[in-house]
Amino acid sequence: MSAWIMVGSGCLVVVLGVLALNGRGTAAYGPSPVAGWGWIAVGGGFILDGGPRLLGFPSGAAMLLSTVALGLVVLGGVLLVRGGRSARRTSPGDGCRGAAGAGRR
C-alpha cells in the first residue's frame, strides 16, 4: 500500500513541477523555473522509490534505486530552497508599497 502512495504522490508532485515550469496558475510572484525542476526531481524520487516495490524488483536492485531516489529528493530539496520564490515584480504605479516603493504615491 505504501508503494502505491509513493507512486501516486510522486506523479502529483511531478505534475505540479511541470505546471510551475509552464507558468500556469502562477502570478508574477510565483515560483521560479528552478523550483519547478526541484518539484520534478522530488516527484521523480518518490516514483523511483515506490516503483521497484510495485514491479517486484529484487531487494538489491530496489535498494540501489532507493539510494538514487534519495539523491533525487535531496537534489530537488536543494533546488526548491535555492529557487524559492522569485522576487516580486513591482513598478512605481502598481500600488505596492514595499521597500522599493516606500513613500511614493
Side-chain angles (χ1 to χ4, degrees):
M1 182 69 179
S2 65
W4 283 108
I5 293 171
M6 284 191 289
V7 170
S9 62
C11 290
L12 178 69
V13 172
V14 167
V15 167
L16 291 175
V18 169
L19 288 176
L21 282 177
N22 289 338
R24 294 186 185 241
T26 58
Y29 52 87
S32 69
V34 175
W37 284 112
W39 284 115
I40 291 173
V42 169
F46 288 164
I47 293 170
L48 198 58
D49 192 26
R53 293 181 188 175
L54 289 176
L55 297 174
F57 281 28
S59 61
M63 184 185 68
L64 179 65
L65 289 174
S66 292
T67 304
V68 172
L70 177 65
L72 273 175
V73 170
V74 169
L75 173 69
V78 168
L79 288 174
L80 282 169
V81 169
R82 187 167 170 90
R85 290 195 170 271
S86 61
R88 227 177 181 177
R89 295 183 199 123
T90 60
S91 62
D94 69 353
C96 179
R97 301 184 127 221
R104 289 192 216 167
R105 269 200 85 111

